[in-house]
Amino acid sequence: MSRRGAVLGKLDNYFEISKRGSNYSREIRGGLATFFAMSYIVVLNPLILSGADSTGAELGGARVAAATALVAGVLTILMGTWARYPFALATGLGVNAFAAVTVASNPGLTWPDMMGLIVLSGLTMLILVLTGFRTAVFRAVPASLKTAIVVGIGMFIALIGLVNAGFVRRIPDVAGTTVPVGLGFEGKLVGWPTLVFLFGLILTIALLVRKVKGAILISILASTALALVIEVVAKPGSQGAGQPGGWSLVTPSLPAWGAPDLSLVGQVNLFGAFSHLGIMGASLLAFAILLSIFFDAMGTMVGLANEAGLTDEDGNIPQVNRVLLVDAFGAIAGGSASVSSNQIFVESGAGIGEGARTGLASIVTGLLFVVAMFFTPLIYLVPFEAVAPALVVVGFMMVSQVGRIDWTDWGVAIPSFLTFTLMPFTYSIANGLGAGFIAYVLIRTFQGRARDVHPLMWAVAAAFVLFFGIGPLEQA
C-alpha cells in the first residue's frame, strides 16, 4: 500500500467514514455546504452586538467579525477532530440578542460584565456534562419527543430559509394588520434576489429527485454565480428603506485580504455583573442563558444526529459526552472572546443533507472559518438567497420523520405537537422544548401515569416553568 493510501486508510478508520456510509468527497462537499449555509453569522453577529454599553464602549464591527470567525473555526475543528461529528459551531442567535438587549437596558452593565455571565454559564454547563447530568436528561426524553425535536428543527430551519430569502417577510405593525408574516413584500414577490432563491430551490429539488451527487452544493454554487451576475448587471443592492427588492443581508461581492483584529479575546469580567445587578439579578440572567444554551444544543444535536442516521436503536448518540463538552466549551470560548455563546448550528443540516456523516466535514467547515478570519469579505461571496433553498429542502427531509411519533398516545402526541410547532413560531428551539416537556409531565399526571415520568423530566419541566416565569419575576 502506498503512503497516501495508508494515510487515507487511517483517516477512514479514525473518522469511521466508510462505517458511517460516507466517503471523502461527501465529507468535503458537506463541509463546504455547511460553511456557506452559516457563514452569514460573521456579518450578522457584529450587527447584533453593535450597541454601546453604559460607559459608551462598543465592541466594534471588525473586531467582532474577526473573533466570531476565529472562535467558530476553532470550535468546529475541535468538534470534528475530537467528537468526530458533522456539527459546526458558531455564535448562537438568541443568546447574542439577549446579551445586546441586557447590556442596553441595564445601566452600569458593561460588555465584559455581560460576557462574564456567558462564561459562567458555560462553566456551569461543563460541570453538568462532566457529572453526567446533561447526558442523563438527554436519555430521559421519550422517543416520540425526540422525534418531535427533529421535526421542529426541520420546520425551524425551513422557516429560516424562507425568511432569509425574503420569500416570507414580517408585516409592519400598523393599524389593521391581522397577520404577523406574509408572502414577499406587501403580498408580492419582488426583486432579483427572490428570483435567485426560486432558481436555487427549483434546481435543488430537480437535482435531488434525479439523485445527482452534490445536489445541494451544486445548487449553492450555481445560485451564487447567478447572484454575482445579477449584482453586477442589475445592482439591486441591499434591502433598506425603499429597497424591498434588495439582498436580505449579504450583498454578493468578491473577497479581499485583510489582517484580523483579535483584541477582543480575553476582555471579560467574570463577576462584574454581580456588583452592578446584585446576586439575584445576575443569577437570574445567568440561569436564563444556561437554560437556553443547555436545551438549544440538545435539541439541535438530536435533530441533526437523527437526520444523519447517527443514533442507536434507542435514539441515543454514541459518545454524546464529547459533543456536549465541545458545546460547553462554546459558551466559555464565545464569552471569553466577546462574541457571545457559541453552539451547534442547525445549518449543519445543509452539510448532512449533502452527505456529511463524520467530523471530517466539520474540519473542512472550521478551516473555512479560519480562512474567513483573514478574508472576512469571503462571507460576502454567498448571499442568503443562494443558501436558503438548501435549508428549505433539508427542512423537508427532517419533517418527513413526523410519522415516527405515536399519535395514538396523547400523552406524547400533544407535547410533540407543541414542541415542533412552537420552535418555528417562537423562533426558538428552547421554547419548543420547554412547552413540550411541561406538557408531557402535566398530561401524564392527568392520565394518572405520573410514575411513568422519569424524575429528570420533572426536574427539567420545573426548570422550564422558572425559565418562562423569569419575566414576571424580574418585574416583581
Side-chain angles (χ1 to χ4, degrees), residues 238-244:
S238 62
Q239 285 182 15
Q243 293 290 337

Side-chain angles (χ1 to χ4, degrees), residues 36 73 88 91 94 156 160 176 265-266 279 293 365 463:
F36 290 141
T91 300
F156 187 26
I160 290 173
V265 176
I279 295 177
I293 60 180
T365 302

Side-chain angles (χ1 to χ4, degrees), residues 264-392:
L264 284 177
V265 176
Q267 291 192 18
V268 59
N269 185 349
L270 276 182
F271 300 101
F274 289 85
S275 61
H276 293 298
L277 304 176
I279 295 177
M280 180 59 72
S283 297
L284 282 174
L285 289 178
F287 178 75
I289 296 169
L290 175 65
L291 221 59
S292 178
I293 60 180
F294 187 111
F295 288 104
D296 267 1
M298 191 184 82
T300 305
M301 178 185 65
V302 170
L304 294 174
N306 271 278
E307 178 61 22
L310 299 177
T311 55
D312 60 22
E313 60 275 9
D314 298 318
N316 296 319
I317 301 173
Q319 294 187 324
V320 67
N321 262 1
R322 293 192 176 191
V323 178
L324 296 176
L325 281 171
V326 176
D327 183 69
F329 289 140
I332 298 170
S336 298
S338 296
V339 297
S340 186
S341 175
N342 276 234
Q343 62 190 51
I344 300 171
F345 253 54
V346 292
E347 283 85 349
S348 301
I352 290 172
E354 191 55 63
R357 295 294 181 270
T358 78
L360 185 58
S362 294
I363 294 175
V364 173
T365 302
L367 289 174
L368 287 171
F369 269 114
V370 173
V371 171
M373 181 178 63
F374 294 93
F375 293 84
T376 301
L378 178 65
I379 47 85
Y380 289 104
L381 180 64
V382 183
F384 278 180
E385 290 80 0
V387 176
L391 302 184
V392 173

Side-chain angles (χ1 to χ4, degrees), residues 40-51 60-62 64-66 68:
Y40 69 86
I41 192 62
V42 183
V43 177
L44 186 56
N45 200 35
L47 296 177
I48 293 175
L49 302 179
S50 62
V64 174
T68 298

Side-chain angles (χ1 to χ4, degrees), residues 295 434 437-439 441-442 456-466 468:
F295 288 104
F437 288 178
I438 293 172
V441 169
L442 288 176
L456 285 177
M457 289 296 290
W458 285 97
V460 171
F464 266 116
V465 169
L466 182 58
F468 289 131

Side-chain angles (χ1 to χ4, degrees), residues 78-430:
L78 179 62
M79 177 68 78
T81 55
W82 188 54
R84 290 179 279 184
Y85 278 91
F87 306 154
L89 292 87
T91 300
L93 294 174
V95 176
N96 58 355
F98 178 77
V101 170
T102 302
V103 168
S105 60
N106 286 276
L109 195 67
T110 67
W111 282 113
D113 297 337
M114 188 65 221
M115 295 302 164
L117 286 178
I118 293 174
V119 173
L120 289 174
S121 298
L123 290 171
T124 304
M125 186 73 65
L126 185 62
I127 294 171
L128 293 176
V129 175
L130 292 175
T131 56
F133 179 81
R134 201 176 182 194
T135 305
V137 169
F138 167 69
R139 291 176 176 168
V141 179
S144 286
L145 269 180
K146 287 181 180 177
T147 300
I149 293 170
V150 181
V151 175
I153 290 176
M155 295 173 65
F156 187 26
I157 200 173
L159 180 60
I160 290 173
L162 293 169
V163 171
N164 286 352
F167 193 87
V168 172
R169 304 193 193 194
R170 181 182 302 160
I171 295 176
D173 295 325
V174 296
T177 299
T178 57
V179 293
V181 294
L183 176 69
F185 180 72
E186 296 182 347
K188 300 177 182 177
L189 298 177
V190 296
W192 288 103
T194 301
L195 177 64
V196 172
F197 166 72
L198 292 173
F199 166 80
L201 183 60
I202 294 171
L203 179 61
T204 304
I205 293 173
L207 293 175
L208 283 174
V209 298
R210 297 292 298 177
K211 301 186 184 303
V212 175
K213 293 182 179 179
I216 290 176
L217 185 57
I218 291 172
S219 174
I220 292 174
L221 295 177
S223 299
T224 299
L226 177 61
L228 287 168
V229 171
I230 286 175
E231 179 57 26
V232 170
V233 176
K235 295 182 173 59
S238 62
Q239 285 182 15
Q243 293 290 337
W247 306 101
S248 59
L249 178 62
V250 177
T251 300
S253 61
L254 296 176
W257 181 85
D261 181 350
L262 300 175
S263 57
L264 284 177
V265 176
Q267 291 192 18
V268 59
N269 185 349
L270 276 182
F271 300 101
F274 289 85
S275 61
H276 293 298
L277 304 176
I279 295 177
M280 180 59 72
S283 297
L284 282 174
L285 289 178
F287 178 75
I289 296 169
L290 175 65
L291 221 59
S292 178
I293 60 180
F294 187 111
F295 288 104
D296 267 1
M298 191 184 82
T300 305
M301 178 185 65
V302 170
L304 294 174
N306 271 278
E307 178 61 22
L310 299 177
T311 55
D312 60 22
E313 60 275 9
D314 298 318
N316 296 319
I317 301 173
Q319 294 187 324
V320 67
N321 262 1
R322 293 192 176 191
V323 178
L324 296 176
L325 281 171
V326 176
D327 183 69
F329 289 140
I332 298 170
S336 298
S338 296
V339 297
S340 186
S341 175
N342 276 234
Q343 62 190 51
I344 300 171
F345 253 54
V346 292
E347 283 85 349
S348 301
I352 290 172
E354 191 55 63
R357 295 294 181 270
T358 78
L360 185 58
S362 294
I363 294 175
V364 173
T365 302
L367 289 174
L368 287 171
F369 269 114
V370 173
V371 171
M373 181 178 63
F374 294 93
F375 293 84
T376 301
L378 178 65
I379 47 85
Y380 289 104
L381 180 64
V382 183
F384 278 180
E385 290 80 0
V387 176
L391 302 184
V392 173
V393 171
V394 170
F396 154 73
M397 294 175 180
M398 299 180 77
V399 171
S400 65
Q401 298 187 38
V402 70
R404 297 183 182 181
I405 297 173
D406 184 2
W407 294 105
T408 63
D409 181 356
W410 284 20
V412 290
I414 294 175
S416 296
F417 172 76
L418 292 174
T419 297
F420 68 67
T421 52
L422 286 178
M423 282 186 187
F425 290 163
T426 66
Y427 233 67
S428 168
I429 294 171

